[in-house]
Amino acid sequence: MPQWGVRLMNGTGSDIGLADLWQVDWLTSDISDLSLFCRFKLAFRNTVYKASLLLASVIILVVFGYAVYYFYEWKRREREEVFALVEKILDVLQNHNRACQNDLRDRKSVV
């Protein structure tokens, strides 16, 4: 695993490849200033940090998506309410027009 800076060692102390994983007795680090435990701890912290960052990004995207959905839903409801109000106003005007025409017919028949 050279990309991670870790070498696989067998019982005789020789470096083995990835094909013989069952013969691994211990791991050594290519970077001498960090122990193997420290490298694993650092890798674990980096993994947790990146997973937390991913989770925070997903949460932010979900909240933003919900806000956009709520905004458009609010605008749609507002538009429907305006259309309903316009229909009610038109119904009132039509009823008033019919009532006025009936009233005029009634007056003409009396006169």
Side-chain angles (χ1 to χ4, degrees):
M1 294 187 266
Q3 69 269 22
W4 295 335
V6 175
R7 285 189 282 157
L8 309 173
M9 307 298 278
N10 62 6
T12 62
S14 61
D15 192 8
I16 60 172
L18 290 176
D20 301 328
L21 290 179
W22 294 108
Q23 296 175 0
V24 173
D25 288 331
W26 72 84
L27 304 173
T28 60
S29 174
D30 287 342
I31 302 172
S32 61
D33 60 343
L34 290 177
S35 67
L36 190 60
F37 175 73
C38 187
R39 289 176 87 37
F40 282 126
K41 189 168 81 170
L42 186 62
F44 179 74
R45 283 186 183 170
N46 284 340
T47 303
V48 169
Y49 173 72
K50 289 177 183 177
S52 300
L53 207 61
L54 179 67
L55 181 65
S57 300
V58 168
I59 289 172
I60 288 171
L61 286 174
V62 166
V63 168
F64 181 72
Y66 181 74
V68 168
Y69 171 76
Y70 181 75
F71 175 76
Y72 283 117
E73 188 67 24
W74 175 57
K75 286 291 188 181
R76 184 190 60 80
R77 270 189 268 127
E78 190 176 72
R79 192 171 43 246
E80 286 176 358
E81 288 173 2
V82 169
F83 288 148
L85 186 61
V86 167
E87 287 177 357
K88 286 180 183 178
I89 291 171
L90 289 175
D91 287 342
V92 168
L93 289 175
Q94 286 175 351
N95 290 339
H96 179 71
N97 186 24
R98 284 188 206 120
C100 286
Q101 287 177 356
N102 288 341
D103 191 36
L104 285 176
R105 279 190 219 130
D106 291 343
R107 285 186 186 173
K108 286 181 182 177
S109 64
V110 172
V111 178

